Amino acid sequence: MSEAGKPSHVEELKIGSRQLRGTIAEELSAVADHFESDSVHLLKNHGLYQQDDRDERGQKADDGTSKGKAYQFMVRTRIPGGKVTAAQFLAELDLCDKYGNGTVRITSRQGFQLHGVVKSGLKATIRAINDSKLTTLAACGDVERNVMCCPAPIKNSPVRIQMQDMADRIAEHLKPKTTAYCEIWLTDENGEQQNVSEFKAVEEPIYGATYLPRKFKTAISLPEDNCVDIHSQDLGFLAIVEQGQIVGYNVLVGGGQGVTPSVKKTFPAAAKPLTFVTPDQVVAVAEAIVKVQRDNGNRSDRKIARMKYLIANWGIPAFKAKVEEYFGRSLPEPKPIEVTGVDDHLGWHEQGDGNWFLGVNVENGRIKDEGDLRIKSGLRAILSKYGMNTRLTPLQSLILCDIKPEQRADINQILKQHGIKQADELSFLRRYSIACPAWPTCGLSITESERALPGILDVMEVELAKFGLTKEVISVHMTGCPNGCARPYSPDIGLVGRRQGEQYMLYLGGNAIGTRIGFLYADYLPKEEIISTLSPLFAYFKVERQPGETFGDFCHRQGKENLEAYATSYCAQV
Ligand code: SF4
């Protein structure tokens, strides 16, 4: 049943890399401002993307001052469940000022990203992140990525505590064992902690010599609060709670958002239920599933290397039989339970131990100071003063935890002084919307995303107000290319960069709880026509929705043809 074929170039690189070393160390000490392409692939496993600031590149060329690419790096930190201490948060803020572009980005997988780090600053940046007891190892690459988990710090129920603990256990178990990361990045500036040239392999019991065929994403969720978007993951654990205790998890497999539109065999997929496991079986079943993908995923064509394609080829029964073989015993059917809700965790909430937590929206995850909105300074002030733990959310925002009742007024005041709006000052549209970075730093971006979405939402809010729909939870996810880093195929409205000149694919019919893939409603849609395309559909939703129906559910029920027909007649009348 294996997906055999000539190994892709990246596979050959991994095999010959001596457990992800390649020539990274040698190139790191060379004067060049960038790594060669083979190392660029391996660097991802160390949490690094080599990028090129295309704004800066263009500007330099126009000025005639410089030519060529403006190389810089994105440094991603892997943080299971998004749990970050104040000291770690402050360290990341310091690093963005010292080595990056002055901003920190909260990712849609509950991690941090620094952008704009130049090659000469990489080692110091990574060492400082490790000094704060976080790591960039396996934040990207063909391994288990950051394990996501509902971040709500609720203390008077064991449920979320057990979920967070499980996220830590899965992450620890599935992290690569290679010592390459330590050798390359954590040696001191003058001496060598280990001699890189004297390579001694360590055992990689899960990944072997070639790691995984492709990235692998895992999340833990609750049916009533699917804030981690469990159906978009390769592997999901949906907690089943009885009498206040987690009795087990439904295992979901085969989700994934990336697509190559010109390659018809690629598609986005929602994860499907596979089985039910008890808490003590979770780690072993996760390992079995990872190994099935390791040994059977496609290693000749990276476009179809994610586990969703293996499952599509085999079908769930054959996939399950193989997992049982690796696990060593048969597995039961999944429990009849579905995702029913989502919570962005913004605003003030009692956390169950006499203290409070506060979810703070960070638009598109970008922590920066710009004009009157000084998120970076505001967070620095609060974290320096109170030193509370924090959590990063899957909607690119953050939670300040463990706040004493008497601290609330002061924290409100600090937020206000820095222009940071609280949840009740924001529309649900904005709270449930996310975007990937795209231009200018992501090398794969075709269009704008992060820089375009706020303006689009400004106009969309006005349009929704016209129809009395401002209280609706409508999720908008936007990306600058079809790779789908901000999960654009499953929200109410998905915008996917399609062609330079700001043209997008418009997906409709998903939902904020992320239970299904939407459908392509419009292709090559110019940015300036997004709102005029959606407006008739908002009008239709207003008059024809069923009680309690969301915009995404309405579009799903109507289907593309009905929506188009209504839009055509509506536009003819106005
Ligand atoms: Fe880059 Fe595309 Fe991912 Fe956006 S979706 S960050 S443009 S690869």
Side-chain angles (χ1 to χ4, degrees):
M1 287 203 280
S2 83
E3 306 279 324
K6 183 178 181 304
S8 68
H9 178 63
V10 175
E11 286 301 316
E12 287 172 346
L13 267 181
K14 285 187 284 183
I15 293 169
S17 72
R18 296 169 301 132
Q19 297 187 322
L20 306 176
R21 285 167 177 78
T23 57
I24 292 173
E26 293 83 343
E27 291 185 53
L28 184 63
S29 51
V31 291
D33 62 356
H34 64 282
F35 291 85
E36 297 304 322
S37 66
D38 284 356
S39 290
V40 169
H41 288 294
L42 296 176
L43 279 170
K44 292 176 186 171
N45 299 278
H46 298 243
L48 305 174
Y49 273 75
Q50 180 166 292
Q51 301 184 324
D52 164 31
D53 188 321
R54 288 187 269 178
D55 281 352
E56 201 179 318
R57 187 204 319 175
Q59 193 180 338
K60 281 188 172 182
D62 290 345
D63 295 350
T65 52
S66 166
K67 284 185 180 161
K69 295 184 175 181
Y71 286 108
Q72 51 176 245
F73 294 81
M74 181 270 275
V75 181
R76 185 182 291 161
T77 304
R78 181 171 62 93
I79 308 169
K83 288 186 289 190
V84 181
T85 66
Q88 290 166 338
F89 210 123
L90 289 167
E92 201 87 17
L93 294 180
D94 289 344
L95 286 170
C96 86
D97 288 335
K98 191 166 180 186
Y99 297 108
N101 65 0
T103 74
V104 176
R105 203 166 193 284
I106 302 172
T107 75
S108 56
R109 292 196 69 77
Q110 300 178 281
F112 280 133
Q113 281 179 189
L114 296 170
H115 290 262
V117 180
V118 296
K119 181 165 167 265
S120 59
L122 276 180
K123 193 163 179 175
T125 302
I126 293 174
R127 283 195 54 166
I129 289 169
N130 281 268
D131 286 346
S132 79
K133 306 226 176 336
L134 292 174
T135 183
T136 67
L137 175 63
C140 338
D142 293 344
V143 287
E144 169 74 297
R145 302 277 185 98
N146 197 33
V147 178
M148 297 175 70
C149 184
C150 175
I154 294 168
K155 305 283 177 67
N156 58 350
S157 146
V159 171
R160 282 186 172 79
I161 295 169
Q162 289 170 0
M163 290 166 62
Q164 285 282 342
D165 178 59
M166 191 62 79
D168 289 340
R169 287 175 53 201
I170 296 170
E172 182 62 25
H173 190 74
L174 296 180
K175 82 177 181 197
K177 305 291 186 281
T178 176
T179 54
Y181 180 83
C182 183
E183 289 168 19
I184 295 169
W185 305 108
L186 306 183
T187 50
D188 64 43
E189 287 304 319
N190 304 312
E192 283 93 70
Q193 186 177 329
Q194 297 186 43
N195 187 340
V196 178
S197 61
E198 287 179 11
F199 165 61
K200 289 196 187 73
V202 294
E203 194 187 357
E204 282 279 19
I206 294 172
Y207 294 119
T210 50
Y211 296 82
L212 296 181
R214 206 68 170 79
K215 62 181 130 181
F216 194 92
K217 299 180 175 179
T218 299
I220 304 176
S221 186
L222 277 170
E224 67 274 20
D225 180 10
N226 183 31
C227 61
V228 298
D229 238 335
I230 193 169
H231 292 91
S232 69
Q233 314 284 334
D234 293 272
L235 172 59
F237 291 97
L238 187 61
I240 296 174
V241 178
E242 289 176 8
Q243 295 171 343
Q245 295 284 338
I246 295 177
V247 295
Y249 297 85
N250 264 5
V251 181
L252 281 68
V253 291
Q257 295 262 314
V259 172
T260 306
S262 60
V263 181
K264 294 292 173 222
K265 58 191 174 185
T266 66
F267 50 82
K272 298 185 181 77
L274 181 80
T275 184
F276 168 83
V277 295
T278 53
D280 60 305
Q281 295 173 321
V282 166
V283 172
V285 168
E287 178 181 326
I289 290 169
V290 165
K291 285 179 170 175
V292 170
Q293 162 67 354
R294 176 195 69 189
D295 295 346
N296 299 280
N298 193 309
R299 289 186 183 266
S300 59
D301 183 351
R302 289 180 64 79
K303 290 196 183 328
I304 51 169
R306 291 286 295 275
M307 197 169 74
K308 64 183 174 180
Y309 298 109
L310 183 64
I311 291 170
N313 287 346
W314 286 6
I316 285 284
F319 183 82
K320 187 178 178 194
K322 187 60 83 175
V323 172
E324 289 172 331
E325 188 183 312
Y326 279 67
F327 180 55
R329 54 190 280 198
S330 64
L331 290 162
E333 290 301 303
K335 303 277 188 192
I337 198 153
E338 303 281 346
V339 164
T340 55
V342 62
D343 190 336
D344 65 1
H345 304 296
L346 297 194
W348 284 104
H349 305 269
E350 285 183 305
Q351 63 180 32
D353 61 354
N355 291 329
W356 292 71
F357 72 85
L358 174 64
V360 179
N361 178 259
V362 180
E363 190 156 48
N364 299 324
R366 185 71 70 172
I367 299 173
K368 62 182 176 182
D369 287 350
E370 191 171 88
D372 294 335
L373 179 57
R374 295 179 298 128
I375 301 176
K376 187 170 65 170
S377 296
L379 291 176
R380 193 187 285 283
I382 291 170
L383 293 170
S384 302
K385 187 168 183 179
Y386 292 109
M388 70 272 281
N389 289 318
T390 72
R391 302 268 170 99
L392 310 180
T393 81
L395 288 173
Q396 301 176 325
S397 288
L398 66 95
I399 295 171
L400 302 170
C401 311
D402 310 320
I403 300 169
K404 293 186 173 38
E406 61 272 21
Q407 297 169 343
R408 291 182 58 189
D410 184 45
I411 288 169
N412 282 336
Q413 185 61 22
I414 296 172
L415 291 174
K416 193 172 178 187
Q417 283 166 351
H418 291 84
I420 302 169
K421 288 185 177 165
Q422 299 228 21
D424 57 5
E425 300 173 89
L426 297 166
S427 67
F428 285 114
L429 179 77
R430 211 162 286 260
R431 287 171 55 170
Y432 281 85
S433 295
I434 58 175
C436 78
W439 275 81
T441 53
C442 176
L444 298 174
S445 60
I446 302 166
T447 62
E448 294 281 356
S449 178
E450 177 187 339
R451 298 194 298 195
L453 186 59
I456 292 170
L457 295 185
D458 287 344
V459 188
M460 205 180 290
E461 282 176 336
V462 172
E463 206 62 22
L464 287 168
K466 276 191 208 163
F467 299 107
L469 296 170
T470 51
K471 299 267 190 277
E472 295 299 317
V473 173
I474 297 176
S475 52
V476 183
H477 293 194
M478 186 169 192
T479 60
C481 87
N483 277 323
C485 296
R487 307 188 289 271
Y489 302 105
S490 54
D492 297 272
I493 298 170
L495 292 165
V496 180
R498 182 65 152 128
R499 187 154 64 194
Q500 281 194 4
E502 299 307 289
Q503 295 184 15
Y504 295 85
M505 292 187 275
L506 170 62
Y507 277 80
L508 297 175
N511 53 22
I513 62 174
T515 50
R516 59 171 178 262
I517 300 297
F519 55 84
L520 181 61
Y521 181 75
D523 206 355
Y524 298 106
L525 184 66
K527 187 178 100 176
E528 53 276 11
E529 293 178 21
I530 290 171
I531 300 300
S532 60
T533 301
L534 286 169
S535 183
L537 308 183
F538 292 152
Y540 194 17
F541 174 57
K542 174 71 178 173
V543 295
E544 290 290 338
R545 71 188 297 191
Q546 293 175 348
E549 194 173 38
T550 66
F551 180 66
D553 289 349
F554 172 79
C555 291
H556 176 69
R557 178 167 63 83
Q558 294 294 346
K560 184 182 177 191
E561 285 183 11
N562 262 359
L563 295 176
E564 283 176 335
Y566 184 88
T568 303
S569 69
Y570 180 88
C571 291
Q573 289 167 27
V574 293

